[in-house]
Amino acid sequence: MSRSTGSTAVRSTAGRSIAPPAIPAPGHAPASRTGAQVMCEALIRENVSVMFGIPGGCIMPFYHAMWEYRARLRHVLCRHEQGAGHAAEGFARATGQVGVCIGTSGPGATNLVTPIADAWMDGTPLVAITGQVPSALLGTDAFQETDITGITVPITKHNFLVTNATELPRVFREAFHIARSGRPGPVLIDITKDAQLARFVPDWDEPMDLPGYRPMSQRDDVDQAAIRAAAQLLQDARRPVILAGNGVIQSGATRELRALAEQAGIPVISTLHGLGAMPHDHPLSLGMPGMHGWVHVNRAIQACDVLLNVGSRFDDRVTGKASTFAPHAQIIHIDIDGAEIGKLVRTDVKIVADAKPALRSIAVALPVGSTVARQAWIHEILAMRDEHQPRQGYTRRERTAPLMPHDVFDAMNAAFRDRSDWRVVTDVGQHQMWAAQLLDWSRPRTHITSGGAGTMGFALPAAMGAAIADPSRTIWVVVGDGGFQMTSCELATIAQEGLTNVKVAIVNNGYLGMVRQWQQLFEGKRYSGTPLTGPDFAKLAEAHGLRGFTVDDAADAPAAIEAAWKYRGCAVIDFRVEREANVFPIVPAGQAIGDMLMAPPATPAVPAVPSPFAQA
């Protein structure tokens, strides 16, 4: 059993040495524990070292016990539970380990709902721990009582309400097992205050009791009949493509992906969450598909005869109108979650498996020397790419504004090019798509974003979690001025924790930019509810004791990024860009991905909605 010695002094935020309370030495601890102490020891047994949360009434016994274990369990006091949840997500996404967040009952628990939903949509391993009112008060509308297990049923892999403290060792093992196994995801443990206070002798050997839960793992055998069928389809294909998603990153299967692509001569398309799975400059790497995918990528999908989807769930931002997706292709779908296969797009070969063993098995089953016939297909795609020049729309021209959004990403690419010690966490909106399109992604887990839920406010706290998980790398936050203001309170957490490896690039256009873009293109430029003001972000950073920069000219962007990078502390750069720049290409809602707009239409669409004030 791992136990805290309680002998390590720690420092308060004021820098004073704080003597730990006298607690039993290892091997001499009493056999009984409070439920709260068992919670701490259960976390240590699961190799948890960092937690993000905020204390409150019904979780106070846990925080009281946490003091005894502070040498093994680092607690990061966030400014809002949503920030705590996203920080735990960032920690998980950077490491592949389970992130842990904490809230008290009532609003503390409900504030965790958004990051739990975000983790659910993006398959992020997360355990959320919440306090609950004493069991005698359950169902009485007691102060800060909320049915958080009922609320989170649709957005968790599983959740627990613990009223009997003796269940805690087993419940924690089950929660972490569920969160990290199969398709990873969030699990919530809600623990009544009396269970945290109860004293008992924990049984750490009680077996897990999860009837019906049989997740796939890398050790499980892959269906060889399906593998042979997939290999045969790929062998016979003349126009195949591979669609690589988050499952490749989570499986650690980037080497297997590249090996199969090179062996069979198949071009690779990376989804938003798959960016980094294939180096951007590899000859077989095509780029991102979907709503803001490049023209040659979407058209390759629409023209291919076999599509191998590995670790992507056919999100509607990838498929557009699903019934029109890859109309000529036979589709092979590899996913660790069988429920995702055939859910949105018809599938010809179903392989329920982890990406790594599945890709490895297909490579073994494929005969050598099957690439010659595909050269014409690859040349066709490259010709489309040359014709449409993926980044042409973002080329600087005369008469454009002093600072365009793509100037920021040009400067970031220049700064990243000769460095490998960085990750980027993006928020949600236009800047997210520009970052996905314009930054050069070469390594897995360097790109972290909110995909499925599209949670504005994700980036700053998630970057904080990634920075704590990986202090050797600089974590760049790319965020819009709207999303930044949703969770900018976490600058105070970054300052309090003394984090030096977080750098923030705000792409500030004074709008909720993506919504404004849709209003411009599809709603007759009716900018309803999207113009946005904000504080002087550089001064806001300085108010937190951080470094702030303001840039409004492209010529100053490289120097600002270098200065922020070299500054030994957190820095915030306010890039004040052209206000009405747009992301292109764009696939209008409900259209096939081949139906892209590559520039604003000559006549913006106006929705056919009659005004209630129009005269009859």
Side-chain angles (χ1 to χ4, degrees), residues 171-232:
V171 164
F172 270 71
R173 283 181 60 201
E174 291 174 352
F176 278 82
H177 172 68
I178 293 170
R180 65 166 68 99
S181 59
R183 183 179 192 264
V187 178
L188 180 135
I189 312 174
D190 193 31
I191 307 160
T192 59
K193 191 169 185 177
D194 53 313
Q196 298 172 53
L197 292 168
R199 182 170 285 278
F200 65 105
V201 178
D203 178 5
W204 296 107
D205 298 322
E206 182 181 357
M208 292 191 294
D209 182 20
L210 297 170
Y213 184 64
R214 299 287 184 272
M216 295 292 293
S217 76
Q218 290 190 354
R219 294 187 299 275
D220 290 330
D221 293 335
V222 182
D223 180 352
Q224 291 303 310
I227 291 294
R228 288 192 294 274
Q232 189 62 54

Side-chain angles (χ1 to χ4, degrees), residues 256-281:
E256 287 74 12
L257 171 69
R258 181 170 175 168
L260 176 63
E262 291 175 347
Q263 175 186 337
I266 303 176
V268 176
I269 295 165
S270 300
T271 68
L272 179 66
H273 277 318
L275 293 173
M278 190 82 168
H280 75 98
D281 54 354

Side-chain angles (χ1 to χ4, degrees), residues 222-246:
V222 182
D223 180 352
Q224 291 303 310
I227 291 294
R228 288 192 294 274
Q232 189 62 54
L233 280 182
L234 292 172
Q235 167 68 12
D236 296 341
R238 300 185 67 82
R239 304 160 72 88
V241 296
I242 296 174
L243 179 65
N246 194 21

Side-chain angles (χ1 to χ4, degrees), residues 460 479-488 491 504 506 537 540 572:
L460 183 66
V479 61
D481 47 319
F484 179 72
Q485 292 186 74
M486 290 186 176
T487 52
S488 60
L491 285 177
V504 183
I506 304 172
F537 294 123
L540 179 66
V572 175

Side-chain angles (χ1 to χ4, degrees), residues 166-485:
T166 63
E167 297 177 353
L168 287 168
R170 174 181 54 77
V171 164
F172 270 71
R173 283 181 60 201
E174 291 174 352
F176 278 82
H177 172 68
I178 293 170
R180 65 166 68 99
S181 59
R183 183 179 192 264
V187 178
L188 180 135
I189 312 174
D190 193 31
I191 307 160
T192 59
K193 191 169 185 177
D194 53 313
Q196 298 172 53
L197 292 168
R199 182 170 285 278
F200 65 105
V201 178
D203 178 5
W204 296 107
D205 298 322
E206 182 181 357
M208 292 191 294
D209 182 20
L210 297 170
Y213 184 64
R214 299 287 184 272
M216 295 292 293
S217 76
Q218 290 190 354
R219 294 187 299 275
D220 290 330
D221 293 335
V222 182
D223 180 352
Q224 291 303 310
I227 291 294
R228 288 192 294 274
Q232 189 62 54
L233 280 182
L234 292 172
Q235 167 68 12
D236 296 341
R238 300 185 67 82
R239 304 160 72 88
V241 296
I242 296 174
L243 179 65
N246 194 21
V248 175
I249 306 282
Q250 292 191 327
S251 173
T254 55
R255 182 175 300 177
E256 287 74 12
L257 171 69
R258 181 170 175 168
L260 176 63
E262 291 175 347
Q263 175 186 337
I266 303 176
V268 176
I269 295 165
S270 300
T271 68
L272 179 66
H273 277 318
L275 293 173
M278 190 82 168
H280 75 98
D281 54 354
H282 190 284
L284 291 171
S285 179
L286 298 185
M288 189 176 74
M291 178 172 283
H292 295 291
W294 297 124
V295 174
H296 69 283
V297 178
N298 283 352
R299 290 187 178 171
I301 290 174
Q302 296 304 80
C304 71
D305 60 1
V306 172
L307 186 146
L308 168 59
N309 176 5
V310 53
S312 164
R313 59 186 179 85
F314 285 128
D315 181 272
D316 61 285
R317 292 299 172 107
V318 169
T319 65
K321 186 177 180 181
S323 61
T324 65
F325 181 76
H328 310 294
Q330 291 185 283
I331 293 177
I332 306 161
H333 192 173
I334 302 169
D335 201 295
I336 200 166
D337 183 356
E340 295 293 342
I341 298 179
K343 185 174 78 174
L344 297 169
V345 171
R346 61 182 169 74
T347 302
D348 298 284
V349 177
K350 306 173 183 178
I351 302 175
V352 182
D354 183 79
K356 180 179 283 189
L359 289 172
R360 192 179 289 160
S361 298
I362 291 175
V364 170
L366 266 179
V368 177
S370 57
T371 65
V372 176
R374 296 182 189 133
Q375 290 305 312
W377 166 235
I378 293 173
H379 288 317
E380 181 181 336
I381 298 174
L382 295 180
M384 283 194 287
R385 184 179 66 182
D386 292 343
E387 178 184 355
H388 296 287
Q389 286 294 326
R391 302 182 180 187
Q392 186 177 33
Y394 299 122
T395 303
R396 170 161 281 283
R397 299 178 175 85
E398 293 183 2
R399 298 183 181 177
T400 51
L403 182 64
M404 297 294 288
H406 52 267
D407 294 325
V408 177
F409 297 101
D410 283 347
M412 295 187 82
N413 266 334
F416 291 171
R417 196 158 293 138
D418 296 325
R419 294 176 164 107
S420 60
D421 58 341
W422 55 268
R423 302 177 195 265
V424 173
V425 182
T426 66
D427 211 74
V428 172
Q430 287 181 308
H431 69 277
Q432 178 190 34
M433 294 297 105
W434 282 317
Q437 292 177 333
L438 300 177
L439 293 182
D440 295 336
W441 304 105
S442 297
R443 293 175 288 111
R445 296 193 187 278
T446 53
H447 174 255
I448 297 172
T449 194
S450 170
T455 304
M456 290 180 66
F458 169 85
L460 183 66
M464 180 171 67
I468 290 172
D470 188 1
S472 66
R473 295 177 193 247
T474 297
I475 312 298
W476 277 91
V477 177
V478 179
V479 61
D481 47 319
F484 179 72
Q485 292 186 74

